[in-house]
Amino acid sequence: MHIQIQCCGIILMLTLYFFYMRQKRISLNSQKAFLRVFWATFICLSMDVLSIGAIQNRHLMPEPFVKFIAKSYLVTLLFVALGALSYICVDIYTREEVYRKKMKPYLFLASLATVGAYLAPITYHFAEDKKTVLYTHGPSLYVTYGMALVFFIRIFFLLKKEKANINPRRREAVCIWLFVWLAASQIQFMYTNVLIVGFAGSIGVMVLYLKLENPETNLDRSTGLFSSSALFQYTKQLFDSDKDFSALAIVFENTAYQNVPMEQRPFIKMEIIEYLLKLPDVLCFKNAEDEFFILFDDTATSEHHAARIRERFEAGWGNHHSSFVHPYWFYLPHASVTQRAEQLLLLIRHLRQDAKEFSESDFLCIGADSVNQMLHKKETEQLILEAMESDRVDLYYQPIFSTEEQRITSAEALVRIRDREGQLIQPGLFIDIAEENGMILKLGEIVFEKVCQFIYKHPLERLGMHYIEVNLSVVQCAYERLANDYIQIMKKYEIAPSQINLEITESASTNAKKILQNNMEELIEYGVSFSLDDFGTGQSNLNYIVDMPVDLIKFDRSMTNSYFENGRAKYVMDAAIHMIHGMNLEIVSEGIETKEQYQTMKDLGINHIQGYYFSKPLPEEDFIRFLLEQPGQE
Ligand code: C2E
Ligand code: MG
Ligand code: MG
């Protein structure tokens, strides 16, 4: 029996340990499990050497002691197998209490096998000279090998069954490790004087180290801070163990460095990174090129630390502290409000989108309400997306009554979406979000196409109607291809452009005014008319009507309502009506709910009335039925 191979294994492991300890690490569960495998293998190798030494010198020691050492070596083999099992279990059972519960039976079995191994007899197998011991065997060995085999089979089984839950790199590394072990034991079985199983174990540990557990893989190469994947793994682990912590995200948008001369920026950036690297008692991660995360274990003192970090930024950087950088600060005193690592990162992304509205160096303290808002937004985005993909965008039509013709002559198309259960969702809940993320472009086009399909199916003249009003969002107005796309759709369904009236709002003009004007010009030339929606809300500006080529002005419900509630509002409305009519434009009054309101509006000379007094917005079929039931409608 020789111990040279085992000694090589020990040297290899000590070298690995040296490199491992030298590096900056975060305390990840997977790394703790790796250390368990590492120590089990190391002790196993050392016990191997010790037991070979004891057996070779068995004449110098009491027999039971030699056998105790030999058995102890066998038991350590068992714990290497258990270590390997625990190593993949940390990946599968990420919640600490679940992991503990799952590991309990294996620990029990290992303890049982340990007791069995110590109680069972062990014998020596001698070489032909009847003196040299080749290896040990007997019941003690069968108990430990048998149980190790059970663990290995379990590992194989888990690798297969839990494929989706195990990091693919970990699967691969564990497979290589097991293969090296099994190959070594096969060789050792055939050539009984080649004792390489222990050494194979150390090679296996090296594979794990190189493929997965090198702490350097958790570092960002350019800065030396922890990487984004380390951030994800570590926060996931904190959430899984139900530990609350605080987080500070520092975001450097383009504007952050605007006061720093271009040539100095790389130096300032480096100075900031060096500062972050040296921060005591916190973990600092680089999540993206311009986004850094600082995690605080202690929520009670985090605010104080966060304030200190901000103060450092306020003190200036570079020579004579003359360069000032203004990042956005997102501080979560209790990161647990986000519940999951994915959600925490998503929240910051979501907040970054809104950050453009902040003033310089804004500091935002984030609580549960921001999270709920984000979640609601995400859910709604998902709903809109699904609705568009699965044809769950519905159009409702609200009849508009002409006071001159004394019948319904037009209607406004109003969008709704349905969720999976068929529940109707009102536009007030999703239009803003669709505008924010740009989905409104697609949604608006679907609405417009549906309106055209409706007109194609039910020619308006047969319903006694002149046109349908379709809402245009601010975002659509600023879309260069809008006119072109809409004209194509009208052509596709052979719709006369005079049957379409597009509603724009005043806010549309401030954003990308030029594009809106081009779109309007093109569409008006084609024959489409426009109306101005929401008149009387916000900062309505009569000058705007002068500028914009609209034919109709739609008085918002709030404006018509205040006419009945507020004596002074009457004068404003009278004046507005006078001016609008003076410009030869027509007026639609929205939100008319009672006969009195209708009568008053009619007496004021309002041209069109829209409101619950006539009808709420109706689904297509009901709307057709409603029109057909109207006296004077043809
Ligand atoms: P809007 O364009 O001003 O539409 C009028 C809103 O007032 C409609 O709400 C309508 O149901 C409601 N309304 C009409 N008469 C009455 C009334 O007598 N009493 C009351 N209480 N309400 C009345 P809805 O359908 O919820 O739409 C809200 C807003 O959503 C619309 O305001 C419009 O800005 C937007 N919207 C609706 N459909 C679309 C669309 O297809 N595209 C875009 N971009 N926006 C849309
Ligand atoms: Mg409208
Ligand atoms: Mg309106």
Side-chain angles (χ1 to χ4, degrees):
M1 281 171 134
H2 300 293
I3 58 165
Q4 289 89 331
I5 302 177
Q6 281 77 355
C7 290
C8 288
I10 291 178
I11 293 169
L12 179 71
M13 295 204 68
L14 288 175
T15 317
L16 281 186
Y17 192 65
F18 172 74
F19 282 113
Y20 185 83
M21 291 313 283
R22 255 176 32 141
Q23 276 157 354
K24 193 171 140 165
R25 296 178 308 275
I26 33 173
S27 162
L28 292 173
N29 284 339
S30 65
Q31 298 216 329
K32 285 186 207 153
F34 168 71
L35 278 182
R36 282 197 286 271
V37 178
F38 179 92
W39 285 120
T41 311
F42 185 78
I43 295 170
C44 179
L45 265 173
S46 313
M47 287 308 295
D48 200 2
V49 174
L50 215 65
S51 80
I52 293 171
I55 291 171
Q56 279 172 354
N57 299 298
R58 63 191 178 285
H59 308 297
L60 307 174
M61 295 171 225
E63 179 72 11
F65 179 71
V66 177
K67 290 203 164 163
F68 175 76
I69 298 284
K71 285 176 182 178
S72 299
Y73 160 64
L74 292 176
V75 168
T76 56
L77 268 177
L78 189 65
F79 280 87
V80 172
L82 184 67
L85 184 59
S86 117
Y87 184 66
I88 58 164
C89 283
V90 281
D91 238 22
I92 303 171
Y93 311 114
T94 50
R95 295 198 70 85
E96 210 160 316
E97 68 272 15
V98 180
Y99 164 77
R100 287 223 177 99
K101 203 171 133 209
K102 294 283 179 187
M103 284 308 291
K104 252 186 194 156
Y106 304 127
L107 261 173
F108 175 72
L109 285 178
S111 318
L112 212 64
T114 306
V115 175
Y118 278 116
L119 293 179
I122 192 166
T123 47
Y124 304 130
H125 184 82
F126 292 95
E128 279 168 9
D129 61 7
K130 304 273 188 255
K131 275 187 195 159
T132 318
V133 174
L134 277 183
Y135 53 87
T136 50
H137 69 162
S140 179
L141 182 126
Y142 304 142
V143 169
T144 45
Y145 274 35
M147 194 51 77
L149 193 67
V150 168
F151 291 157
F152 281 149
I153 292 172
R154 184 70 190 145
I155 292 173
F156 268 124
F157 179 74
L158 285 175
L159 284 176
K160 215 169 146 44
K161 186 178 149 223
E162 301 284 348
K163 200 171 167 181
N165 295 326
I166 306 177
N167 171 342
R169 284 173 70 85
R170 176 152 304 142
R171 271 187 83 224
E172 200 181 312
V174 173
C175 284
I176 297 175
W177 186 68
L178 284 177
F179 175 77
V180 174
W181 256 77
L182 293 177
S185 51
Q186 192 62 30
I187 294 170
Q188 190 167 319
F189 182 71
M190 291 192 302
Y191 307 99
T192 44
N193 56 345
V194 185
L195 301 179
I196 57 167
V197 169
F199 181 67
S202 61
I203 296 280
V205 171
M206 190 177 76
V207 171
L208 296 188
Y209 177 85
L210 293 179
K211 268 196 101 59
L212 280 170
E213 303 301 344
N214 181 350
E216 215 172 273
T217 54
N218 287 324
L219 293 182
D220 172 69
R221 279 181 191 276
S222 62
T223 58
L225 296 166
F226 290 117
S227 65
S228 56
S229 99
L231 172 67
F232 182 74
Q233 288 180 64
Y234 189 67
T235 44
K236 183 170 186 315
Q237 186 175 307
L238 290 173
F239 282 112
D240 283 342
S241 58
D242 292 326
K243 274 196 197 117
D244 194 11
F245 60 100
S246 307
L248 176 68
I250 313 177
V251 175
F252 297 84
E253 292 283 356
N254 290 340
T255 49
Y257 287 98
Q258 67 189 8
N259 297 331
V260 181
M262 202 56 106
E263 66 283 0
Q264 278 189 26
R265 288 183 191 175
F267 302 104
I268 303 293
K269 283 181 185 172
M270 202 36 81
E271 196 183 341
I272 292 175
I273 285 162
E274 273 165 22
Y275 165 73
L276 294 176
L277 274 169
K278 284 190 199 136
L279 278 176
D281 307 326
V282 295
L283 293 172
C284 195
F285 300 80
K286 179 177 151 189
N287 189 38
E289 209 39 51
D290 55 356
E291 187 178 303
F292 299 85
F293 260 80
I294 299 174
L295 301 188
F296 310 88
D297 281 340
D298 184 4
T299 53
T301 56
S302 63
E303 195 170 342
H304 168 73
H305 284 299
R308 293 274 301 273
I309 298 170
R310 271 189 79 199
E311 275 165 24
R312 174 64 195 88
F313 273 74
E314 276 161 17
W317 305 92
N319 288 342
H320 316 297
H321 291 255
S322 56
S323 297
F324 293 91
V325 178
H326 300 288
Y328 296 125
W329 304 84
F330 301 114
Y331 170 58
L332 278 98
H334 298 283
S336 56
V337 289
T338 54
Q339 290 166 354
R340 285 201 331 267
E342 291 89 340
Q343 235 175 58
L344 171 67
L345 301 179
L346 204 66
L347 174 71
I348 301 300
R349 210 181 324 145
H350 162 83
L351 292 167
R352 278 188 71 160
Q353 282 169 5
D354 298 341
K356 314 221 163 43
E357 293 160 19
F358 294 179
S359 62
E360 275 184 3
S361 77
D362 243 318
F363 182 90
L364 203 68
C365 187
I366 299 149
D369 43 344
S370 301
V371 180
N372 292 338
Q373 215 181 337
M374 184 226 13
L375 287 180
H376 170 71
K377 197 166 150 183
K378 287 279 135 207
E379 269 169 31
T380 312
E381 279 179 359
Q382 191 56 32
L383 270 176
I384 303 171
L385 210 65
E386 276 179 25
M388 291 196 298
E389 278 168 4
S390 355
D391 195 19
R392 294 204 301 260
V393 176
D394 285 355
L395 284 201
Y396 275 50
Y397 293 89
Q398 187 173 30
I400 301 175
F401 185 83
S402 158
T403 50
E404 283 144 39
E405 297 187 41
Q406 284 295 301
R407 61 188 180 91
I408 308 291
T409 53
S410 59
E412 178 172 4
L414 294 156
V415 68
R416 275 95 181 92
I417 56 174
R418 268 177 298 122
D419 65 12
R420 250 172 272 164
E421 279 80 43
Q423 199 79 26
L424 219 53
I425 301 159
Q426 299 295 323
L429 297 175
F430 63 85
I431 291 286
D432 284 354
I433 294 173
E435 283 181 339
E436 230 175 87
N437 63 23
M439 284 181 193
I440 193 75
L441 287 180
K442 178 102 189 29
L443 185 67
E445 198 176 303
I446 293 176
V447 167
F448 190 68
E449 183 145 9
K450 282 189 182 263
V451 169
C452 291
Q453 282 168 351
F454 172 83
I455 302 177
Y456 180 76
K457 248 189 351 197
H458 308 281
L460 293 189
E461 55 282 4
R462 273 195 231 154
L463 298 170
M465 295 216 305
H466 303 318
Y467 56 85
I468 304 255
E469 292 173 13
V470 189
N471 290 282
L472 270 190
S473 139
V474 187
V475 180
Q476 288 179 285
C477 293
Y479 174 54
E480 275 155 356
R481 296 186 49 82
L482 177 91
N484 183 59
D485 291 355
Y486 273 32
I487 291 172
Q488 292 311 320
I489 296 173
M490 284 186 277
K491 282 185 178 160
K492 182 173 160 192
Y493 294 96
E494 298 163 2
I495 304 298
S498 59
Q499 297 187 324
I500 299 287
N501 177 285
L502 296 174
E503 294 186 6
I504 57 165
T505 55
E506 218 167 305
S507 46
S509 73
T510 42
N511 300 46
K513 185 166 184 170
K514 189 79 203 124
I515 303 176
L516 168 69
Q517 277 174 345
N518 291 344
N519 276 325
M520 285 181 82
E521 261 171 39
E522 207 176 320
L523 283 160
I524 290 171
E525 200 172 306
Y526 186 69
V528 171
S529 63
F530 279 83
S531 51
L532 180 70
D533 202 2
D534 295 351
F535 186 86
T537 60
Q539 338 89 343
S540 323
N541 185 353
L542 280 171
N543 287 338
Y544 184 80
I545 306 174
V546 180
D547 274 356
M548 279 294 159
V550 289
D551 296 332
L552 267 176
I553 307 297
K554 298 193 74 172
F555 283 3
D556 190 72
R557 189 164 76 95
S558 57
M559 179 155 167
T560 27
N561 279 356
S562 60
Y563 182 88
F564 298 104
E565 287 158 10
N566 180 336
R568 290 170 93 173
K570 275 194 170 74
Y571 295 106
V572 178
M573 184 123 141
D574 285 341
I577 294 170
H578 186 72
M579 287 173 75
I580 292 166
H581 280 158
M583 283 185 270
N584 252 337
L585 305 178
E586 296 197 341
I587 301 171
V588 183
S589 252
E590 283 189 301
I592 301 303
E593 296 185 351
T594 63
K595 188 160 186 202
E596 294 71 44
Q597 288 179 342
Y598 160 71
Q599 199 55 51
T600 315
M601 289 298 137
K602 191 174 162 235
D603 295 346
L604 279 171
I606 300 287
N607 315 79
H608 307 271
I609 309 284
Q610 178 179 355
Y612 293 176
Y613 174 60
F614 287 103
S615 168
K616 287 191 171 180
L618 299 168
E620 189 176 312
E621 300 297 314
D622 296 355
F623 174 59
I624 301 285
R625 206 171 307 128
F626 172 86
L627 284 182
L628 297 178
E629 282 167 5
Q630 293 298 303
Q633 204 77 23
E634 48 203 63

